[in-house]
Amino acid sequence: MNKNNKIVKMNKSIKFNAATFVVAAILLYVIICIIRAAAKEPISIYRVSKSNVNNNITLNAIAVRDEQLIQTSNAGYVCYYIRDGEKIMKGSTVCTVDETGNLVNTVSDKEEFESLLTKEDYQDIRELISLYKLSYQDETFYEAYNFENNVNNKVLELTNEVMMQQITENNFANLSGVKSSYSGVVTYYIDGYENFDISKIKASDFDKSKYNKQTLKTGEIVSAGSNIVKIIPSETWNIVAPITDEQISAISDKESILFKINNSSYKVYMPYTIINGSDGKYINISLDKYMYNYIAERFLTVEIIMDEDEGLKVPNTALVGKDVYKIPLNYLTGGSNQSADNRFNVQRRDENGNLVNTLVEATIFKYDDEYCYVDPSYFQDSDVLIPKNTMSMSSLELVSYTEGNLYQVPLEYLNAGITEGEKAKISVQRKKEDGSGWINKDVEAMVYHIIGDYAYIDSSAFSSTDILVEGNATSSIAVSVLDIKKLDGVYLANRGTAEFTYVTIIKTVDEFALIKNGEEINVYDNIILDSSKVVENQVIY
């Protein structure tokens, strides 16, 4: 018996393991994230810190003094007896002119001159050098010039003593003395500024490259009529410096200024005047002290001490500009910078082209006395802003009548044409049920009484959180014609996104800006170091 075995092949359905799909999806997501992270340019974060900026004004000045030159009537070798910076009386002998050179030759003979100096003389010079070495600091290198003058004066003092000794011991012929015509301070240099007229000051007077200072020394040959010494008879002197209009504006509220000369440790407080020169403006400070400190100097550095600016330090690369709408405050439903007062009543066309009132809650970056500065992204060009005053229902007075407790509402908050004893549509702003914002709503309520400037309306139609909107506003403005202002700001990165936050720049110094503290940015906030690397609201991490 033959058996026909029929073999039927069944299609086996492929069973998919759900766990496999989940693992594959997660693996794919991780791979994509790794690739995106590797391809993404790293964004550097900067932590804001406090800083002070010195607003001091530094000027390059010249010293103007009453400087009288004394000439010699004879030719010969000049020999000085008075130290530089020493005071003398009128009629005192300042120097002698040796027509033969015998006295000068005696002093210039090194061996003979050294034999005339005592151990005490050498000790005085050593002490002068030792004191300077002990007090030397790199920060006060400018004191080296004073040290040089002190050494020169000491040597001149010793030289003068030797000369006087030689004159006393030897009878030198043809030796004539030069007496001072003034009482004052002696100095031994000539630079052409002796008869300086401040009223004729010009920019070239401050050109150090053309400055020529001639030092007067013992032993030099002078001709008859030569200037051989300078006497400064008055302690009153002037400091004059070029100054810009901006710098003048910075000190315009001050009658006197506080300043330092040549980075000295002491500060001087004196009045000043402004000179209108032929090629610019100059500040003129008149002093009656410290003249001796700078008798050997013509060019000075004056630092006017100003108040320091304190704020937050941010790199210039972090700054970014943003165009915002400049909107008058009366278009805010609340009127000024208060919490939740960022709402605007707007007329906007809906999907059907109908004009409807819409309540827009926008980001406001800044307020001033008249305007608020608003993010434009919340508006459409076709929007029309409607200025409306508001009043909280909870602030209205409830008055008891036979009809019940009625709200006493000023008539200006109600639409025109309301009638006593009839229902009226009253505009309010009402919180959404989900609490996410506000909507405009017209509420029908019975107007029971109209007495004087008030209407008494049914309170049961309203919620205590409703905000009553003035119904007689007439002035409106199209968003398309609003003024646009550029605000300075940075991208705040505290919450992982690049949030534009406005800042007030106080001053820019080199690669950093000093911004006002206590506004939207605080110390230790994180901001984007280079604002050009991101866009607003970009996810940072």
Side-chain angles (χ1 to χ4, degrees):
M1 181 175 175
N2 294 329
K3 291 183 178 180
N4 295 325
N5 294 329
K6 294 183 179 180
I7 300 174
V8 179
K9 293 184 179 180
M10 302 294 293
N11 291 327
K12 293 183 179 179
S13 58
I14 300 174
K15 295 182 179 181
F16 296 97
N17 191 327
T20 303
F21 277 107
V22 172
V23 172
I26 294 174
L27 182 60
L28 180 61
Y29 175 76
V30 171
I31 293 173
I32 292 174
C33 290
I34 293 173
I35 294 173
R36 290 182 61 185
K40 188 176 180 181
E41 186 176 356
I43 297 173
S44 299
I45 303 297
Y46 177 84
R47 178 159 291 182
V48 178
S49 60
K50 284 186 178 180
S51 180
N52 295 334
V53 173
N54 188 335
N55 292 320
N56 294 351
I57 300 172
T58 302
L59 304 173
N60 295 316
I62 58 173
V64 180
R65 299 171 280 257
D66 178 13
E67 302 173 17
Q68 302 295 329
L69 295 173
I70 296 177
Q71 293 82 30
T72 175
S73 56
N74 300 319
Y77 294 89
V78 63
C79 300
Y80 295 107
Y81 304 131
I82 308 298
R83 288 187 300 171
D84 194 359
E86 186 176 339
K87 287 185 177 181
I88 62 169
M89 298 294 293
K90 181 180 179 180
S92 300
T93 300
V94 181
C95 61
T96 58
V97 177
D98 180 12
E99 298 179 21
T100 61
N102 292 335
L103 176 60
V104 173
N105 291 333
T106 300
V107 175
S108 59
D109 188 326
K110 180 179 179 181
E111 292 184 0
E112 185 174 349
F113 179 75
E114 290 180 351
S115 65
L116 297 173
L117 295 177
T118 65
K119 290 183 178 180
E120 288 76 14
D121 294 334
Y122 286 113
Q123 184 62 31
D124 288 344
I125 296 176
R126 291 191 188 97
E127 288 181 359
L128 196 63
I129 296 173
S130 297
L131 287 173
Y132 174 74
K133 289 174 65 178
L134 289 173
S135 62
Y136 176 80
Q137 293 180 347
D138 291 340
E139 294 81 3
T140 57
F141 178 75
Y142 58 88
E143 296 289 351
Y145 300 105
N146 293 333
F147 167 70
E148 181 184 10
N149 290 331
N150 292 337
V151 173
N152 288 336
N153 289 338
K154 187 63 180 179
V155 172
L156 179 60
E157 179 184 357
L158 297 176
T159 303
N160 292 342
E161 291 176 359
V162 172
M163 286 185 175
M164 295 301 294
Q165 180 181 346
Q166 292 299 305
I167 292 172
T168 303
E169 295 177 356
N170 302 285
N171 184 19
F172 288 104
N174 300 318
L175 190 65
S176 58
V178 178
K179 299 183 180 296
S180 173
S181 305
Y182 310 90
S183 296
V185 181
V186 176
T187 186
Y188 297 114
Y189 75 91
I190 300 171
D191 59 3
Y193 284 78
E194 284 73 25
N195 297 309
F196 191 84
D197 187 350
I198 293 179
S199 64
K200 297 180 180 179
I201 194 166
K202 55 188 182 299
S204 59
D205 295 328
F206 299 85
D207 188 354
K208 294 182 181 180
S209 64
K210 298 180 180 179
Y211 181 64
N212 182 23
K213 182 177 181 180
Q214 177 188 355
T215 302
L216 306 175
K217 299 178 181 179
T218 290
E220 290 185 339
I221 300 176
V222 296
S223 56
S226 298
N227 296 315
I228 58 170
V229 71
K230 182 161 60 178
I231 306 294
I232 301 177
S234 174
E235 294 185 21
T236 300
W237 61 303
N238 294 72
I239 296 175
V240 187
I243 191 169
T244 65
D245 289 334
E246 182 181 358
Q247 291 167 337
I248 293 174
S249 177
I251 62 173
S252 60
D253 61 335
K254 306 176 187 292
E255 293 184 359
S256 298
I257 55 175
L258 185 69
F259 60 96
K260 296 193 297 185
I261 305 172
N262 286 2
N263 199 32
S264 59
S265 58
Y266 55 88
K267 299 176 182 178
V268 188
Y269 186 72
M270 297 296 292
Y272 70 93
T273 58
I274 300 297
I275 302 172
N276 291 313
S278 59
D279 57 357
K281 296 180 180 179
Y282 301 84
I283 186 172
N284 179 26
I285 307 170
S286 181
L287 299 91
D288 56 4
K289 53 186 176 181
Y290 304 120
M291 190 271 293
Y292 302 131
N293 299 51
Y294 306 99
I295 192 171
E297 300 179 58
R298 182 64 65 188
F299 295 96
L300 306 172
T301 299
V302 175
E303 184 180 7
I304 302 176
I305 310 299
M306 306 292 289
D307 295 332
E308 287 188 341
D309 283 330
E310 295 184 357
L312 303 177
K313 180 181 178 183
V314 300
N316 291 335
T317 56
L319 298 175
V320 62
K322 182 178 179 65
D323 290 333
V324 297
Y325 285 142
K326 181 181 177 182
I327 302 178
L329 291 178
N330 63 314
Y331 286 86
L332 275 170
T333 59
S336 63
N337 185 10
Q338 299 174 11
S339 61
D341 288 333
N342 60 340
R343 303 186 298 274
F344 297 89
N345 285 294
V346 174
Q347 285 184 347
R348 177 177 293 174
R349 294 197 179 275
D350 61 13
E351 296 176 354
N352 300 320
N354 298 320
L355 199 62
V356 296
N357 287 342
T358 302
L359 194 64
V360 174
E361 297 185 46
T363 298
I364 301 176
F365 294 110
K366 179 183 177 183
Y367 297 86
D368 59 27
D369 293 336
E370 298 182 28
Y371 298 94
C372 56
Y373 300 86
V374 187
D375 190 339
S377 64
Y378 292 88
F379 300 94
Q380 300 173 8
D381 288 342
S382 58
D383 286 348
V384 176
L385 295 176
I386 304 171
K388 292 187 177 182
N389 293 324
T390 61
M391 179 182 291
S392 172
M393 300 301 293
S394 61
S395 67
L396 293 174
E397 183 178 355
L398 279 172
V399 182
S400 295
Y401 277 88
T402 56
E403 296 87 351
N405 291 328
L406 307 180
Y407 277 130
Q408 177 183 285
V409 180
L411 289 175
E412 63 265 22
Y413 277 83
L414 301 177
N415 295 317
I418 63 169
T419 304
E420 185 176 279
E422 295 183 0
K423 286 188 175 182
K425 286 186 177 181
I426 300 172
S427 298
V428 298
Q429 293 175 357
R430 178 166 290 178
K431 278 189 175 181
K432 294 180 181 179
E433 292 183 0
D434 61 2
S436 61
W438 296 77
I439 58 172
N440 282 343
K441 186 173 181 63
D442 287 335
V443 177
E444 283 193 354
M446 177 63 75
V447 180
Y448 287 105
H449 305 284
I450 297 178
I451 303 173
D453 294 330
Y454 294 93
Y456 295 83
I457 62 178
D458 185 4
S459 62
S460 64
F462 303 93
S463 169
S464 61
T465 58
D466 285 348
I467 296 176
L468 190 64
V469 179
E470 182 183 354
N472 294 325
T474 57
S475 177
S476 61
I477 184 171
V479 168
S480 58
V481 298
L482 287 173
D483 289 338
I484 295 177
K485 178 179 175 61
K486 186 177 289 293
L487 286 185
D488 294 315
V490 296
Y491 287 133
L492 190 63
N494 288 345
R495 290 190 284 264
T497 58
E499 301 177 57
F500 176 83
T501 306
Y502 94 92
V503 298
T504 300
I505 299 175
I506 300 173
K507 190 173 184 179
T508 300
V509 182
D510 298 327
E511 298 178 354
F512 288 87
L514 190 72
I515 65 174
K516 190 173 181 180
N517 194 4
E519 291 186 325
E520 300 299 321
I521 299 293
N522 296 302
V523 65
Y524 305 129
D525 276 343
N526 293 320
I527 62 174
I528 303 300
L529 177 62
D530 188 348
S531 60
S532 65
K533 302 294 184 183
V534 300
V535 295
E536 188 175 355
N537 297 323
Q538 177 180 328
V539 176
I540 307 303
Y541 48 83

